[in-house]
PDB file of all heavy atoms in Angstrom:
ATOM      1  N   VAL O  86     199.766 -35.941 -36.668  1.00 98.00           N
ATOM      2  CA  VAL O  86     199.146 -36.534 -37.858  1.00 98.00           C
ATOM      3  C   VAL O  86     199.867 -36.025 -39.096  1.00 98.00           C
ATOM      4  O   VAL O  86     200.073 -34.829 -39.259  1.00 98.00           O
ATOM      5  CB  VAL O  86     197.642 -36.193 -37.940  1.00 98.00           C
ATOM      6  CG1 VAL O  86     197.029 -36.731 -39.220  1.00 98.00           C
ATOM      7  CG2 VAL O  86     196.909 -36.731 -36.718  1.00 98.00           C
ATOM      8  N   GLN O  87     200.247 -36.954 -39.962  1.00 97.00           N
ATOM      9  CA  GLN O  87     200.902 -36.577 -41.214  1.00 97.00           C
ATOM     10  C   GLN O  87     199.897 -36.669 -42.351  1.00 97.00           C
ATOM     11  O   GLN O  87     199.188 -37.663 -42.482  1.00 97.00           O
ATOM     12  CB  GLN O  87     202.084 -37.485 -41.477  1.00 97.00           C
ATOM     13  CG  GLN O  87     203.043 -37.432 -40.300  1.00 97.00           C
ATOM     14  CD  GLN O  87     204.416 -37.867 -40.673  1.00 97.00           C
ATOM     15  OE1 GLN O  87     204.592 -38.942 -41.201  1.00 97.00           O
ATOM     16  NE2 GLN O  87     205.379 -37.019 -40.393  1.00 97.00           N
ATOM     17  N   VAL O  88     199.834 -35.606 -43.148  1.00 97.00           N
ATOM     18  CA  VAL O  88     198.877 -35.538 -44.245  1.00 97.00           C
ATOM     19  C   VAL O  88     199.635 -35.577 -45.561  1.00 97.00           C
ATOM     20  O   VAL O  88     200.594 -34.823 -45.763  1.00 97.00           O
ATOM     21  CB  VAL O  88     198.040 -34.240 -44.182  1.00 97.00           C
ATOM     22  CG1 VAL O  88     197.019 -34.202 -45.313  1.00 97.00           C
ATOM     23  CG2 VAL O  88     197.358 -34.102 -42.829  1.00 97.00           C
ATOM     24  N   THR O  89     199.206 -36.459 -46.447  1.00 97.00           N
ATOM     25  CA  THR O  89     199.754 -36.491 -47.798  1.00 97.00           C
ATOM     26  C   THR O  89     198.604 -36.290 -48.776  1.00 97.00           C
ATOM     27  O   THR O  89     197.475 -36.732 -48.527  1.00 97.00           O
ATOM     28  CB  THR O  89     200.475 -37.810 -48.114  1.00 97.00           C
ATOM     29  OG1 THR O  89     199.576 -38.901 -47.912  1.00 97.00           O
ATOM     30  CG2 THR O  89     201.702 -37.995 -47.229  1.00 97.00           C
ATOM     31  N   VAL O  90     198.889 -35.611 -49.862  1.00 98.00           N
ATOM     32  CA  VAL O  90     197.898 -35.357 -50.905  1.00 98.00           C
ATOM     33  C   VAL O  90     198.380 -36.048 -52.163  1.00 98.00           C
ATOM     34  O   VAL O  90     199.541 -35.885 -52.561  1.00 98.00           O
ATOM     35  CB  VAL O  90     197.722 -33.844 -51.155  1.00 98.00           C
ATOM     36  CG1 VAL O  90     196.718 -33.600 -52.264  1.00 98.00           C
ATOM     37  CG2 VAL O  90     197.306 -33.132 -49.871  1.00 98.00           C
ATOM     38  N   GLY O  91     197.511 -36.819 -52.757  1.00 97.00           N
ATOM     39  CA  GLY O  91     197.908 -37.536 -53.965  1.00 97.00           C
ATOM     40  C   GLY O  91     196.709 -38.010 -54.751  1.00 97.00           C
ATOM     41  O   GLY O  91     195.564 -37.636 -54.484  1.00 97.00           O
ATOM     42  N   GLU O  92     196.994 -38.872 -55.697  1.00 97.00           N
ATOM     43  CA  GLU O  92     195.952 -39.454 -56.532  1.00 97.00           C
ATOM     44  C   GLU O  92     195.089 -40.395 -55.694  1.00 97.00           C
ATOM     45  O   GLU O  92     195.618 -41.158 -54.887  1.00 97.00           O
ATOM     46  CB  GLU O  92     196.606 -40.227 -57.674  1.00 97.00           C
ATOM     47  CG  GLU O  92     195.641 -40.760 -58.687  1.00 97.00           C
ATOM     48  CD  GLU O  92     196.357 -41.450 -59.841  1.00 97.00           C
ATOM     49  OE1 GLU O  92     197.449 -40.993 -60.218  1.00 97.00           O
ATOM     50  OE2 GLU O  92     195.800 -42.439 -60.346  1.00 97.00           O
ATOM     51  N   PRO O  93     193.782 -40.351 -55.856  1.00 97.00           N
ATOM     52  CA  PRO O  93     192.924 -41.256 -55.084  1.00 97.00           C
ATOM     53  C   PRO O  93     193.210 -42.718 -55.432  1.00 97.00           C
ATOM     54  O   PRO O  93     193.254 -43.091 -56.607  1.00 97.00           O
ATOM     55  CB  PRO O  93     191.511 -40.866 -55.518  1.00 97.00           C
ATOM     56  CG  PRO O  93     191.635 -39.492 -56.072  1.00 97.00           C
ATOM     57  CD  PRO O  93     193.006 -39.426 -56.675  1.00 97.00           C
ATOM     58  N   ARG O  94     193.440 -43.501 -54.391  1.00 97.00           N
ATOM     59  CA  ARG O  94     193.706 -44.937 -54.570  1.00 97.00           C
ATOM     60  C   ARG O  94     193.009 -45.712 -53.463  1.00 97.00           C
ATOM     61  O   ARG O  94     193.250 -45.466 -52.291  1.00 97.00           O
ATOM     62  CB  ARG O  94     195.195 -45.225 -54.502  1.00 97.00           C
ATOM     63  CG  ARG O  94     195.988 -44.632 -55.632  1.00 97.00           C
ATOM     64  CD  ARG O  94     197.424 -45.159 -55.585  1.00 97.00           C
ATOM     65  NE  ARG O  94     198.302 -44.391 -56.435  1.00 97.00           N
ATOM     66  CZ  ARG O  94     198.361 -44.481 -57.753  1.00 97.00           C
ATOM     67  NH1 ARG O  94     197.562 -45.305 -58.382  1.00 97.00           N
ATOM     68  NH2 ARG O  94     199.198 -43.758 -58.439  1.00 97.00           N
ATOM     69  N   SER O  95     192.207 -46.650 -53.871  1.00 97.00           N
ATOM     70  CA  SER O  95     191.538 -47.527 -52.914  1.00 97.00           C
ATOM     71  C   SER O  95     192.551 -48.529 -52.362  1.00 97.00           C
ATOM     72  O   SER O  95     193.507 -48.890 -53.046  1.00 97.00           O
ATOM     73  CB  SER O  95     190.404 -48.269 -53.629  1.00 97.00           C
ATOM     74  OG  SER O  95     189.825 -49.212 -52.783  1.00 97.00           O
ATOM     75  N   SER O  96     192.337 -48.954 -51.122  1.00 98.00           N
ATOM     76  CA  SER O  96     193.187 -50.002 -50.531  1.00 98.00           C
ATOM     77  C   SER O  96     192.370 -50.760 -49.496  1.00 98.00           C
ATOM     78  O   SER O  96     191.327 -50.287 -49.037  1.00 98.00           O
ATOM     79  CB  SER O  96     194.431 -49.396 -49.873  1.00 98.00           C
ATOM     80  OG  SER O  96     194.081 -48.715 -48.679  1.00 98.00           O
ATOM     81  N   ASP O  97     192.862 -51.920 -49.112  1.00 98.00           N
ATOM     82  CA  ASP O  97     192.193 -52.701 -48.073  1.00 98.00           C
ATOM     83  C   ASP O  97     192.123 -51.918 -46.771  1.00 98.00           C
ATOM     84  O   ASP O  97     191.098 -51.928 -46.089  1.00 98.00           O
ATOM     85  CB  ASP O  97     192.933 -54.023 -47.834  1.00 98.00           C
ATOM     86  CG  ASP O  97     192.800 -54.989 -48.993  1.00 98.00           C
ATOM     87  OD1 ASP O  97     191.886 -54.830 -49.826  1.00 98.00           O
ATOM     88  OD2 ASP O  97     193.642 -55.919 -49.073  1.00 98.00           O
ATOM     89  N   GLU O  98     193.210 -51.243 -46.415  1.00 98.00           N
ATOM     90  CA  GLU O  98     193.246 -50.491 -45.164  1.00 98.00           C
ATOM     91  C   GLU O  98     192.211 -49.365 -45.167  1.00 98.00           C
ATOM     92  O   GLU O  98     191.481 -49.165 -44.185  1.00 98.00           O
ATOM     93  CB  GLU O  98     194.648 -49.915 -44.935  1.00 98.00           C
ATOM     94  CG  GLU O  98     194.774 -49.170 -43.633  1.00 98.00           C
ATOM     95  CD  GLU O  98     196.139 -48.547 -43.413  1.00 98.00           C
ATOM     96  OE1 GLU O  98     196.911 -48.390 -44.397  1.00 98.00           O
ATOM     97  OE2 GLU O  98     196.416 -48.188 -42.262  1.00 98.00           O
TER      98      GLU O  98
END
Side-chain angles (χ1 to χ4, degrees):
V86 176
Q87 303 201 306
V88 182
T89 57
V90 179
E92 186 177 325
R94 294 189 194 284
S95 174
S96 72
D97 290 341
E98 182 182 18

